[in-house]
Amino acid sequence: MSFLWFVSLLSLVCGTFPLGFGKNVSSRPSVVNIGAILSHNSTIGRVATIAIEEAVKDVNADPSILPGTNLWLQMQNSNCSGFLGMVEVLQLMENKTVAIIGPQSSVVAHISSQVATEFQVPLVSFSATDPTLSALQFPFFVRAAQSDLFQMTAVAEIVEHYLWKEVIAIYVDDDYGWNGIATLGDKLAERRCKITYKVGISPDSVDNRAQVMDQLVKVALMESRVMVLHVNPKLGTLVFSVAKYLQMVGNGYVWIATDWLTSLLDSVVPFPFENMESMQGVLSLRQHTAESDKKRAFLSRWNKLTGGSLGLNTYGLYAYDSVWMVAHAIDKFFSQGGVVTHSNDSKLHFSESGDLHLEAMTIFDGGNRVLNNILESDFVGLTGAIKFDLDRSLIHPAYDIINVIGTGSRRVGYWSNYSGLSIDAPELLYSKPANRSHANQKLYEVIWPGNTIEQPRGWVFPNNGKLLKIGVPLRVSYKEFVSKIKGTENFQGFCIDVFTAAVNLLPYAVPHEFIAFGDSHHNPNYTDLVYGITTGKFDAVVGDIAIVTSRTRLVDFTLPYTASGLVVVAPFKKRNTGAWAFLHPFSPAMWMVTASFFFFIGIVVWILEHRTNDEFRGPPKRQCITILWFSFSTLFFAHKENTISTLGRLVLIIWLFVVLIVNSSYTASLTSILTVQQLYFPITGIETLREGGEPIGFQVGSFAERYLREELNISKSRLIALGSPEEYARALDLGPDKEGGVAAIVDELLYVESFLSRQCSFRVVGQEFTKSGWGFAFPRDSPLAIDLSTAILQLSENGDLQRIHDKWLAKSACTMENAELESDRLQLKSFWGLFLICGIVCFIALAIYCFQIIRQLYHTETEEPDLSSSSGSHSNRLRRIISLLDEKKESSKRGSKRRKVEKSSENDKVDDHLGVDP
């Protein structure tokens, strides 16, 4: 009896004075209700059920979390039904539930999240991966796994990595399938890829094999061979079984399954051989979980629990961590002083509620605080670091890329949102700078369907008996490029031969038929021909199709198989020599400089020879005549005046060399002008043609008309359409002054070369003012355009392209050797070096001469001091310099003799003065 009193007293003391098991232990309830909404009959549901139960046991057994409080778990089976899921959530609301693990299905999550928001109860889903389950629409929904937004990004990057452009999407026809494939379409579009065909399969088709077969038969008739399968495990198994029956899992096919397949492979032990056989070579994704001791220990524990009959998939790991996430949040809620209370929802109070008992469902008052605690989670679980980013997504989203082969699977790489595709685990990359360069995107070798390591091309021509419809222009001129063979539906010509040769190089057959486009009377409009691809009239266009900007916005072109740009063709006129032909050899600048140097050299030589040479002395009039005569007579080397001074002779030698070169050049140029007929072009290029007002011709159907109007702003009234080479010649001969005539024609170079090979009265003037080429047109992102581009490169490298060109396109008969050429005038730039040397020599000679004069003047003033004193003024010194320049300088012998005569005369004067007889 005393023992009972002791126990009661101890209980009272423990209740009054907490023993320190945790904060606010006394205010914590002994039990907290949580719920779980699963599909018990599904693969993921069976695994998640065990994982959640084990997590609840571990939480309740751990004294460090929720001390004194146990989690009470109530599981509900939604069977992946939205209606049943809503009912199960409502039942959990009656039991004062504070958090719900799940729902498992994305379909159920859409409805359940609305109910949870109304009652402010957090939903923590470990497997609802629908990317449209956003926090904005469903604030109480928390995704404790990776969103399909990241999974579809991974699929898109795999498609881009293998250079595929088109995929076919096969999906389950519900919220999970629709939204996942819609996200895939967006991610593919970002990489210039696309979904060409979508196949939605009803979830109820699991037991209807015929319906699935009907859908896959349609897929087999499509061009693309890259399949993305986004379904549930049961439906996916059926799809692969039917695909194997239809021989759609062999060579050339690519199957990419989302993570439903890896969940199935990891869970079902052993996996049925007949199912595994239909999945050989398939690529799949698995949500990546980091390796750790905790994960390995739980896996060992799992095997003991299940006896090896049920495998553990990643959704089971996320389900386990979800329970701990909720437990940590509730524990923090109690630590914050929170109390589990509920209040009635005024919206559910009706005067007559019938049998629904809606008044029993209440709002969890602490729901927002628990939700915030969940979003602030920061711990390490079985799946790795559990932490949310600002978008309420788990940090570090990553996937394993799995290749199904043999009786199991192997990992060929990883995808992470941090660095893309890699063969290194994401944990090793997080410590390094992000590198998404193309060279860094790597995967190990894949065994593809058909047990081959050769990468599938990803598309084929559909095996439905249809031929590729190829539009071909029905030309009425320049038929060497494209022409229809009379009496048949076949075509021939340069363009057709190039296309045929390229197709023959492809590793597969291209069944096709040519369809003529045009009325047989006029060349068709090539832009309309290309537009036929976008309307579905043609599958491709082959011919002399110029690759221009406006057309590349509609279709894709192959690489150009020949270059061709716009040029101007104009007639030329023969220019007669005339009476003033002798002036043509030199340009005006050359004439002016040459004449100036004649005067300059004459003056320089006169200065250097004036003091010493009697021929350069005399009256001023005579000296001017001498300068003019001497300078111009050097042109014919007929100058009679001799040069005595060394400097004069140096200047004359250099000048005679210049005269020799100029004279020879003039003679050669004049001979050419008088013997070779000159050609005169009134139009020199596109600029002069645009600035004038003359009419301009263009070929019917060519893009030249649009270019002239839109790019060069030439009035449409000036443009005249011409349909044949004969019309070209007739219009050019008439000229711009007559009706129907043109000043010039603007057309593509290849047409012009063909035209000039038969017409020698016209020439290409100016430069090619656009750069383009001819290619074959295909629909946007057509893989055939890529393969044909490669084939065209091969034709160019092996010389076949040139041989086809030589076969159809003859060289011009009007070659440059036979043409009458225009002789260019000699320009000053060809002789400026000679004139520069001559000028430098003249200035050096003048400088030396001036130095000698100054030196002589200095010595004269030194020897005659009386003169020096009297010449203090500048005017006297200037007169002395001029006198010295004009003074005749005697040679040394003549100077001594003259001094003797002067001395003798002086002696005679003295004798006469003294009266002495000599």
Side-chain angles (χ1 to χ4, degrees), residues 670-743:
L670 182 61
T671 302
S672 176
I673 290 174
L674 297 177
T675 56
V676 178
Q677 191 71 45
Q678 288 184 296
L679 303 183
Y680 167 66
F681 293 91
I683 296 172
T684 59
I686 187 62
E687 292 299 328
T688 57
L689 186 62
R690 182 174 63 175
E691 294 171 358
E694 299 88 354
I696 303 170
F698 67 91
Q699 184 182 173
V700 175
S702 171
F703 77 97
E705 179 188 11
R706 185 200 60 80
Y707 184 87
L708 293 172
R709 286 192 293 106
E710 299 180 8
E711 302 296 333
L712 301 183
N713 297 321
I714 296 176
S715 173
K716 187 177 181 180
S717 61
R718 294 179 56 193
L719 304 180
I720 297 179
L722 304 172
S724 66
E726 293 74 18
E727 293 184 20
Y728 280 19
R730 185 165 53 253
L732 289 171
D733 287 335
L734 289 174
D737 298 330
K738 296 181 180 180
E739 184 178 356
V742 296

Side-chain angles (χ1 to χ4, degrees), residues 889-906:
K889 181 180 179 181
E890 302 289 346
S891 62
S892 58
K893 292 182 180 181
R894 295 178 60 186
S896 61
K897 182 177 179 180
R898 181 176 180 179
R899 285 193 295 271
K900 290 181 181 179
V901 172
E902 291 177 352
K903 185 176 182 180
S904 175
S905 62
E906 289 177 359

Side-chain angles (χ1 to χ4, degrees), residues 91-148:
Q91 290 181 358
L92 292 175
M93 295 299 106
E94 294 181 2
N95 297 330
K96 311 300 182 183
T97 302
V98 299
I100 298 175
I101 308 298
Q104 173 188 325
S105 167
S106 295
V107 176
V108 179
H110 276 276
I111 300 177
S112 301
S113 296
Q114 295 178 357
V115 178
T117 301
E118 178 67 28
F119 295 107
Q120 298 185 12
V121 176
L123 288 180
V124 182
S125 178
F126 58 89
S127 58
T129 57
D130 184 349
T132 62
L133 288 167
S134 64
L136 185 63
Q137 184 178 6
F138 308 111
F140 278 82
F141 174 82
V142 179
R143 196 194 318 272
Q146 300 298 346
S147 168
D148 277 343

Side-chain angles (χ1 to χ4, degrees), residues 334-353:
F334 289 144
S335 299
Q336 295 168 344
V339 179
V340 177
T341 60
H342 291 75
S343 59
N344 293 326
D345 189 350
S346 59
K347 299 177 183 178
L348 301 180
H349 289 173
F350 302 100
S351 57
E352 296 181 4
S353 58

Side-chain angles (χ1 to χ4, degrees), residues 501-702:
V503 167
N504 290 337
L505 291 178
L506 299 179
Y508 50 86
V510 182
H512 61 274
E513 61 176 339
F514 291 128
I515 300 176
F517 181 81
D519 58 6
S520 301
H521 302 292
H522 303 90
N523 291 332
N525 187 297
Y526 279 40
T527 300
D528 293 342
L529 174 59
V530 171
Y531 187 75
I533 296 178
T534 62
T535 61
K537 182 177 182 179
F538 303 120
D539 298 318
V541 169
V542 170
D544 46 339
I545 314 297
I547 304 174
V548 295
T549 304
S550 60
R551 295 172 185 171
T552 57
R553 297 192 183 103
L554 302 174
V555 297
D556 280 350
F557 283 91
T558 62
L559 287 177
Y561 57 87
T562 186
S564 182
L566 292 179
V567 294
V568 177
V569 180
F572 61 85
K573 299 178 181 179
K574 296 181 180 180
R575 175 185 289 168
N576 296 325
T577 54
W580 301 97
F582 67 91
L583 294 177
H584 290 169
F586 288 162
S587 65
M590 182 65 182
W591 279 117
M592 292 178 61
V593 171
T594 303
S596 299
F597 258 84
F598 274 111
F599 286 108
F600 176 67
I601 293 300
I603 293 172
V604 170
V605 173
W606 179 84
I607 292 173
L608 298 176
E609 295 291 326
H610 179 67
R611 298 185 64 214
T612 59
N613 195 338
D614 293 335
E615 295 180 353
F616 289 89
R617 297 184 64 82
K621 181 178 180 180
R622 178 186 171 189
Q623 294 307 301
C624 291
I625 295 174
T626 301
I627 290 173
L628 294 175
W629 167 255
F630 177 82
S631 59
F632 284 101
S633 63
T634 56
L635 180 62
F636 309 102
F637 306 99
H639 52 285
K640 65 179 182 178
E641 293 80 7
N642 295 320
T643 53
I644 298 175
S645 66
T646 303
L647 294 177
R649 290 177 178 177
L650 176 62
V651 170
L652 184 61
I653 289 174
I654 299 300
W655 173 243
L656 290 178
F657 176 73
V658 174
V659 169
L660 176 64
I661 299 300
V662 172
N663 196 6
S664 301
S665 302
Y666 176 85
T667 303
S669 181
L670 182 61
T671 302
S672 176
I673 290 174
L674 297 177
T675 56
V676 178
Q677 191 71 45
Q678 288 184 296
L679 303 183
Y680 167 66
F681 293 91
I683 296 172
T684 59
I686 187 62
E687 292 299 328
T688 57
L689 186 62
R690 182 174 63 175
E691 294 171 358
E694 299 88 354
I696 303 170
F698 67 91
Q699 184 182 173
V700 175
S702 171

